[in-house]
Amino acid sequence: MSEITAAGPAIVPVTAAPTVRHFHHAPGEEHEHEPGEATLLGFWIYLMSDALIFATLFATFGVLRQNYAGGPAPRDIFDLSLVALNTGLLLVSSITFGFAMLAMDQAKVRAIQAWLVVTALFGASFVAIELYEFGHLIAEGATPQRSAFLSAFFTLVGTHGAHVTVGLVWIAVMLVQVGQRGLTGENKRRLMCLSLFWHFLDVIWIGVFTFVYLLGMIR
Amino acid sequence: MSAPDITRGTAPAHSHGSRKTYLIGFALSAILTAVPFWLVMTGALSAQATGYAVIALAVAQILVHTTCFLHVNRRAEGGWTMIALVFTAVILLITISGSLWIMYHLNSNMMPMDAGGGGELR
């Protein structure tokens, strides 16, 4: 793109025009509105399909939850206080992301960045504690290979953890994007998608802590 | 607080909440998270009652999150967000309850096994 500007405005290729244009135009309401809305609905449909992936993993876990194969049961290996801490971290990260979105409404770039960093710190702590839990289980011999229950457990909880990790990468990318280009229409749209993604992961976690940890401890 | 939502039509309701909805959502979620953990950790109710209570509280919390954090309502995206969500919820329920139902009966119709050893080949 730097080559295009160096060559002068007269010979800008037609194909590159849409990319170049948004650097010169202020993000107009009418201009940005329609494509952004389509993206949000599309992203929502993606989240719903992601929910179906989790549905199959929950179903698998539900079917295999008591197939211990003589190995450890939930009561032997789960530490509920650790899960409660993790749940709290993810819940707080949800509201801090909400504050980032409120800052976006008021176009406060510094506040958006600060809240995104806070959200990422809570998210990173969540992933770190989950990795500690996994490491602890594996060190105790409760590996995914041990029983069908543990295979299903690691697949379900690990898939959620992988999603949170991707969310952290996305937050980092958005910090760079907002830092370099400011609050453009595109960045607003991306932040809205990321917001949906982050809150969606918290909803999935409600299912995980209820059906995997809490109900597992009762049985 | 909700004034911009109204002036800008249906779209912003999708992704912009007010500070109030976020705080209400957070307070409700905190309660709906703390109670099931407390029930299980203290064993205040019988195991069966705890199970039902925990599931009911989880469903309530999921509803709180979808309305207060994900801002799903009948107006967002002309109702398509809501339709997609309801459709997904139906498929999700069929997948999970159907799998549990079928596999439970499959297990019941197998040769008797001792408790806990269901996963092992014999």
Side-chain angles (χ1 to χ4, degrees), chain A residues 29 33 37-38 40-41 44-45 47-49 51-52 54-56 58-59 62-63 65-70 80-81 83-84 87-88 91-92 94-95 97-99 101-102 104-106 148 192 195-197 199-200 202-203 206-207 209-211 213-215 217-218, chain B residues 8 11-12 14-20 22-23 25-26 29-30 32-33 36-37 40-41 46-48 50-52 54-55 57-59 61-62 65-66 69-72 77 80-82 84-88 91-92 95-96 99-100 103 107 116-120:
Chain A
E29 281 263 310
H33 206 61
E37 292 305 316
L40 276 181
L41 181 57
W44 181 255
I45 302 294
L47 286 181
M48 293 300 100
S49 71
L52 294 182
F54 279 105
T56 58
F58 272 110
V63 168
R65 71 191 188 282
Q66 287 178 313
N67 295 13
Y68 305 132
L80 266 196
S81 47
V83 180
T87 306
L91 187 57
V92 172
S94 241
I95 190 151
F97 204 112
F99 290 151
M101 295 307 285
L102 292 173
M104 191 183 88
D105 286 349
Q106 299 166 336
M192 284 182 209
S195 161
L196 288 178
F197 185 70
H199 291 311
F200 167 77
D202 205 9
V203 174
I206 299 171
F209 81 70
T210 302
F211 290 100
Y213 290 101
L214 293 180
L215 292 184
M217 292 301 265
I218 296 172
Chain B
R8 288 193 58 195
H14 186 92
S15 46
H16 298 237
S18 64
R19 183 168 298 270
K20 198 173 139 196
Y22 275 114
L23 288 175
F26 181 73
S29 317
L32 291 169
T33 302
F37 270 96
V40 173
M41 285 165 117
S46 71
Q48 199 184 17
T50 309
Y52 286 127
V54 164
I55 291 173
L57 290 165
V59 171
Q61 196 182 349
I62 287 171
H65 276 243
T66 45
F69 292 160
L70 288 166
H71 310 300
V72 175
E77 305 283 357
W80 285 106
T81 324
M82 177 76 115
L85 179 70
V86 171
F87 173 74
T88 308
I91 300 290
L92 198 138
T95 310
I96 294 176
S99 301
L100 291 178
M103 295 311 286
N107 279 341
E120 265 183 318

Side-chain angles (χ1 to χ4, degrees), chain A residues 14-15 147:
Chain A
V14 181
T15 48
S147 66

